Amino acid sequence: MSPLSPQRLDASAADFDRQLRELISWEQVSDSQVEARVRDIIAAVRRDGDAALVALSNQFDRRNVTDFTQLELPQSELQQALEAIPAAQRTALEAAAARIESYHRHQLQQSWSYRESDGTVLGQQITPLDRAGLYVPGGKASYPSSVLMNAIPAKVAGVGELIVTVPAPDNQLSPMVLAAAAIAGVDRVITIGGAQAVAALAYGTQSIAKVDKIVGPGNIYVATAKRMVFGAVGLDMVAGPSEILVICDGQTDPDWIAMDLFSQAEHDEQAQSILISWDSEFLERVLASMQRLLPTLERAEVIAKSINDRGAFILVDSPAQAVAVSNVIAPEHLELSVEQPETWLAEIRHAGAIFMGRHTPEALGDYCAGPNHVLPTSATARFSSPLGVYDFQKRSSLINCSASGAAQLAGIASVLARGESLTAHARSAEMRGESYEQ
Amino acid sequence: MSPLSPQRLDASAADFDRQLRELISWEQVSDSQVEARVRDIIAAVRRDGDAALVALSNQFDRRNVTDFTQLELPQSELQQALEAIPAAQRTALEAAAARIESYHRHQLQQSWSYRESDGTVLGQQITPLDRAGLYVPGGKASYPSSVLMNAIPAKVAGVGELIVTVPAPDNQLSPMVLAAAAIAGVDRVITIGGAQAVAALAYGTQSIAKVDKIVGPGNIYVATAKRMVFGAVGLDMVAGPSEILVICDGQTDPDWIAMDLFSQAEHDEQAQSILISWDSEFLERVLASMQRLLPTLERAEVIAKSINDRGAFILVDSPAQAVAVSNVIAPEHLELSVEQPETWLAEIRHAGAIFMGRHTPEALGDYCAGPNHVLPTSATARFSSPLGVYDFQKRSSLINCSASGAAQLAGIASVLARGESLTAHARSAEMRGESYEQ
């Protein structure tokens, strides 16, 4: 195996800003061919419903089904999977689910209201979605942890019906995925994927009720389909390749840091692992650990390609410069492998999840620490958040004016409405004012 | 003027469900011509930056500028507008702004964390966006209230820089819009609109820094552009035509209800006003009021077309049926013009804003009650929320494992990671466990 050679950057270099921008630049471009295929798939599902799902699953996932009912898994099959997997796996899934649920309960938003001195009440009512669709990738990236991370926040929010779609290429499904669906209390599992799954969830078919929101990551077809149904249905973000940024003060075991970087790189060849330190010798020690540890790993080839194509070591001159670079990267996963990581938080402006201290590798967060592992990628942490209970709740404003409160507000509204030439608005407000004054 | 004739529906009719679906169906279809033009505009802005904004504003808004600086309004111009408008307008804007700010302060989310018995700390850190772009429609729909409603939540959230874009067709700008921008503390006002404004905010130009999120309603070009930049930048929902659903028990002055319906209809011809009651005589009285009051209004022609094309009166058999129909419509604005509206809330599943009681017309909420007037349209209240402070904040998960906590979690993570064939994840976790056990 050829030696690992992550890109080396020095933050004191004259053109570092440009190098950094190039390092992290990533734009998912649907070429026009992908767009045309996705458009056709969506049109077919809207036109033919269940029959299109049957045909497309046979075509793309090499299934051999004749009827929609064969695409749905009965609850009994989920329970069977739960009973069939090894006890250690079941215990681990249940422990992870309990911790994920416990953390996410802290995210529940409550309705609130307040009364003003004239009796007017203002507030906000929180309600869960009626129905949500959870896209779970299939095949080699079919992860039971994804089922827990997608389904549990929806359940905690109180969503009425949870529909999981997971493709079963060549009829392959992970028993752990089905077991996780059983543990999470998923209502329906449909073994479809790709753009056809997104279309079915967004518009409904004879057998699948249109959902209110679709969450979960997917490949370029899924991402393109999500972009096309935007507006018709709620969406989470379009996910890019996964990334980690590790900031280390040089005092963590270099083997640990090497393995943390590898844990990201093993996801896929486009995954990005970046290490920042102000200790240049430590960077060399980590590289030596990586060379030594690589051959011990099952996915060594994927890791090597990811590290060599997209990995980077960045030398900075200080912790402050490390934070500044991190805020530009806005990483999905930020590992602060430093002493007293809590003192760093106030300066961290953008990150999906922050793993604090030497004993908090990303892998713990991926599975069982409690917070969600569905996180904003590709610098979208600048404006978006981990998947959470709040993604399955929505808000309604409440306004209940007293007669005197309405009269008071009518005066303001009338001036502003007439300033916008909206006379009916003005009259509607004024009528309440006139009534109170009489 | 021809008589008003809103569509009449009876919820007891055999095909009512179908009629209702047709009444509320609305899909914004960008035809391929619009899409091609928007794609060209976005490409031009990405390629030519400021120069493209100059050229496109000259072309579409009939401006006559030679340089980007002429498209930006200096703060002094905002202050001048504030001092130039009539005192009553300034007082009304300031009173509205104070109430909007007061309400939105209740939406501020706070960071939180908790410590587990083994010392592991989990939490969520809240941070504001660095930079937001607020799209304000121009021309005849240029509303100062929109500036307040978009800008104040961002300010309350603590957004670093607020950039308003508002087109100035034929060099026309509303002095009240500029005054509102001054009151709201907007950082920059750029007089551009359409797809070019969306592109400039999403990707940046020489003179406009790329923003993290774009909010605000717009026409089909703006909506199409927003769909195309989805993923590169955060977005609020794509807005459709505005709608109101009034549920009345027959005891409110029919003139009031008529004017409330008109206040929605006067926005534009596609706006939708629906009245539901279980009192059939009351529906006739409201229609009579509408006929009588229509000629008194400036925008009578727009109102008549909106009511006749898209308006509806729905007769139901009970308050419960009224709620059921409302939950299907998922209205942007829901007016509960009934006795004891607070007893209805628990059954209302989807609505952008709920206006409770006879003294709470939508018009008060549009301007000054406090809650936001940017609300989810076209049944998107099923999954989305009013514009709020939460749209300008994002969350980072916090995980800080103690050594013993990490060892405990490592056992779970290891089993699950090996179940997913992710050995580096497993090893990364196990290394922490092994260290603690030694």
Side-chain angles (χ1 to χ4, degrees), chain A residues 315-346:
Chain A
L315 179 66
V316 292
D317 64 16
S318 63
Q321 195 173 47
V323 168
V325 173
S326 174
N327 283 337
V328 171
I329 295 175
E332 180 189 11
H333 305 95
L334 172 62
E335 198 170 300
L336 298 174
S337 203
V338 299
E339 212 53 36
Q340 295 195 292
E342 61 282 0
T343 63
W344 289 55
L345 286 184

Side-chain angles (χ1 to χ4, degrees), chain A residues 99 103 107 116 123 130 212 260 263 266 349 351 354 356 360 382 394 396-397 399 401 425 428 432, chain B residues 99 103 116 123-124 130 212 260 263 266 349 351 354 356 360 382 394 396-397 399 401 425 428 432:
Chain A
R99 290 189 60 86
Y103 176 85
Q107 293 177 335
E116 300 188 309
D130 282 355
D212 301 312
D260 297 352
S263 75
E266 78 177 336
R349 294 196 51 73
I354 306 174
M356 301 161 67
T360 314
R382 296 184 64 84
K394 68 290 194 300
S396 300
S397 304
I399 312 176
C401 290
H425 282 70
S428 168
R432 271 69 173 193
Chain B
R99 291 189 59 87
Y103 176 86
E116 300 188 310
Q124 190 172 270
D130 283 354
D212 299 312
D260 296 352
S263 75
E266 77 177 337
R349 294 198 50 75
I354 307 174
M356 302 161 66
T360 314
R382 295 184 65 82
K394 70 287 195 300
S396 301
S397 304
I399 312 176
C401 290
H425 282 71
S428 168
R432 271 69 172 193

Side-chain angles (χ1 to χ4, degrees), chain A residues 254-312:
Chain A
D255 281 7
W256 294 12
I257 299 298
M259 200 58 79
D260 297 352
L261 297 170
F262 283 169
S263 75
Q264 194 59 53
E266 78 177 336
H267 274 298
D268 69 75
E269 294 166 352
Q270 285 203 295
Q272 185 163 53
S273 300
I274 301 176
L275 171 62
I276 297 184
S277 185
W278 48 97
D279 179 339
S280 62
E281 276 180 41
F282 180 72
L283 295 176
E284 303 314 316
R285 293 210 302 279
V286 172
L287 187 58
S289 290
M290 290 167 72
Q291 302 287 14
R292 181 169 42 79
L293 293 169
L294 181 65
T296 69
L297 297 169
E298 282 179 55
R299 296 171 65 82
E301 287 196 26
V302 170
I303 291 172
K305 185 149 173 58
S306 160
I307 295 291
N308 289 337
D309 286 1
R310 302 209 68 220

Side-chain angles (χ1 to χ4, degrees), chain B residues 186-402:
Chain B
V186 166
D187 295 292
R188 300 182 69 184
V189 176
I190 322 276
T191 60
I192 57 176
Q196 59 272 27
V198 173
L201 293 170
Y203 297 108
T205 70
Q206 296 88 339
S207 301
I208 302 178
K210 172 187 188 339
V211 303
D212 299 312
K213 189 163 193 169
I214 302 173
V215 300
N219 63 17
I220 182 70
Y221 290 92
V222 172
T224 303
K226 282 169 79 173
R227 189 173 280 112
M228 286 186 188
V229 301
F230 176 66
V233 66
L235 296 176
D236 62 350
M237 262 294 123
V238 173
S242 194
E243 354 113 24
I244 191 172
L245 171 61
V246 179
I247 299 178
C248 188
D249 58 11
Q251 303 304 308
T252 306
D253 184 332
D255 282 5
W256 293 13
I257 300 296
M259 200 57 79
D260 296 352
L261 297 170
F262 284 169
S263 75
Q264 195 57 54
E266 77 177 337
H267 274 298
D268 68 76
E269 293 166 354
Q270 286 203 293
Q272 185 162 53
S273 301
I274 301 176
L275 172 62
I276 297 184
S277 185
W278 49 97
D279 179 339
S280 63
E281 277 181 38
F282 180 71
L283 295 176
E284 305 314 318
R285 294 212 301 280
V286 172
L287 188 57
S289 290
M290 288 167 73
Q291 302 287 14
R292 180 169 43 76
L293 292 169
L294 181 66
T296 69
L297 296 169
E298 282 180 54
R299 296 171 65 81
E301 287 197 25
V302 170
I303 292 171
K305 185 150 175 55
S306 160
I307 295 291
N308 289 337
D309 286 0
R310 303 208 67 221
F313 281 12
I314 303 178
L315 180 66
V316 291
D317 63 16
S318 64
Q321 195 173 48
V323 168
V325 173
S326 173
N327 283 339
V328 172
I329 295 175
E332 180 190 11
H333 305 93
L334 173 60
E335 198 170 300
L336 298 176
S337 202
V338 299
E339 211 56 32
Q340 294 194 291
E342 60 282 0
T343 64
W344 289 55
L345 286 185
E347 304 302 319
I348 303 294
R349 294 198 50 75
H350 316 292
I354 307 174
F355 300 82
M356 302 161 66
R358 310 187 202 288
H359 288 271
T360 314
E362 184 206 314
L364 299 185
D366 286 344
Y367 291 108
C368 56
N372 213 286
H373 78 193
V374 180
L375 296 168
T377 58
S378 307
T380 58
R382 295 184 65 82
F383 55 85
S384 52
S385 299
L387 186 68
V389 174
Y390 34 78
D391 288 304
F392 300 99
Q393 296 185 309
K394 70 287 195 300
R395 309 164 184 91
S396 301
S397 304
L398 302 179
I399 312 176
N400 191 344
C401 290
S402 66

